[in-house]
């Protein structure tokens, strides 16, 4: 009974939250990714924080599943929201780092690649506390891949 009551209270609080992107707002993103060149899928997430109106910082981490080895990506992006309302368009640029191991279990096979990324994305509010998050991004570090990210964003 306590868990049900707690869930009801949390859902009520989240449903009262608006979808505006103003200073102090935050969202948790749960996303899937798909690279266009190597056709690699990945899953990950991040936290978006609006440090001023229309500008947000979003650190994110993704685990990518290539055909051989292990690959993960850390990004720290600056987002500028062009539009407001239920459908919000943004431009993004930021720091990106790939961690790759082409032969797991063997010594000397780990590599780090540092670069930048840029892209465009959209947040489409589905309810007051959840929305659809989409993004197209290009990364400059190896493997220099363009790709899509799509998933859900939950307002805090």
């Amino acid at each position: 009974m306590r868990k049900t009551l707690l869930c009801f209270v949390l859902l009520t609080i989240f449903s009262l939250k608006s979808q505006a992107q103003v200073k102090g707002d935050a969202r948790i993103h749960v996303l899937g990714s798909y690279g266009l060149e190597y056709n690699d899928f990945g899953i990950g997430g991040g936290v978006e924080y609006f440090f001023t109106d229309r500008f947000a910082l979003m650190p994110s981490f993704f685990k990518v599943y290539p055909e051989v080895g292990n690959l993960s990506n850390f990004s720290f992006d600056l987002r500028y929201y062009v539009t407001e309302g239920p459908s919000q368009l943004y431009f993004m640029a930021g720091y990106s780092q790939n961690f790759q191991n082409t032969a797991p279990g063997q010594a000397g096979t780990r590599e780090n690649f540092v670069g930048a990324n840029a892209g465009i994305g959209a947040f489409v509010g589905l309810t007051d506390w959840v929305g659809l998050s989409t993004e197209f991004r290009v990364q400059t570090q190896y493997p220099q891949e363009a790709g899509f990210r799509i998933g859900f964003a939950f307002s805090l």
Side-chain angles (χ1 to χ4, degrees):
M1 182 65 183
R2 287 182 183 171
K3 290 181 182 180
T4 305
L5 183 59
L6 178 63
C7 288
F8 178 74
V9 170
L10 289 175
L11 287 174
T12 303
I13 290 170
F14 285 141
S15 68
L16 298 175
K17 184 78 175 156
S18 67
Q19 291 293 336
Q21 66 264 14
V22 296
K23 181 178 178 180
D25 284 353
R27 297 177 184 145
I28 294 177
H29 293 257
V30 179
L31 303 163
S33 68
Y34 178 74
L36 296 176
E37 185 173 344
Y38 297 103
N39 301 324
D40 292 335
F41 291 96
I43 57 170
V47 177
E48 180 179 27
Y49 175 74
F50 289 90
F51 63 94
T52 187
D53 293 352
R54 294 184 177 253
F55 284 94
L57 293 174
M58 182 172 164
S60 62
F61 183 80
F62 276 80
K63 175 73 176 151
V64 182
Y65 299 97
E67 288 185 29
V68 177
N70 300 323
L71 178 65
S72 57
N73 173 268
F74 171 76
S75 295
F76 193 85
D77 302 326
L78 173 67
R79 294 178 169 191
Y80 172 68
Y81 281 83
V82 181
T83 61
E84 293 183 9
S87 180
Q88 303 166 6
L89 177 70
Y90 64 86
F91 295 102
M92 55 82 55
Y95 167 83
S96 188
Q97 185 169 1
N98 283 348
F99 306 95
Q100 181 177 354
N101 188 348
T102 54
Q106 297 179 7
T109 57
R110 292 180 182 233
E111 297 178 293
N112 294 328
F113 302 101
V114 177
N117 55 44
I120 187 169
F123 171 83
V124 179
L126 301 175
T127 67
D128 285 343
W129 64 280
V130 68
L132 181 65
S133 179
T134 61
E135 184 175 277
F136 175 76
R137 69 170 43 214
V138 177
Q139 296 182 328
T140 62
Q141 79 275 13
Y142 180 81
Q144 296 180 347
E145 186 165 52
F148 292 100
R149 291 182 175 182
I150 188 166
F152 294 102
F154 303 95
S155 296
L156 296 178

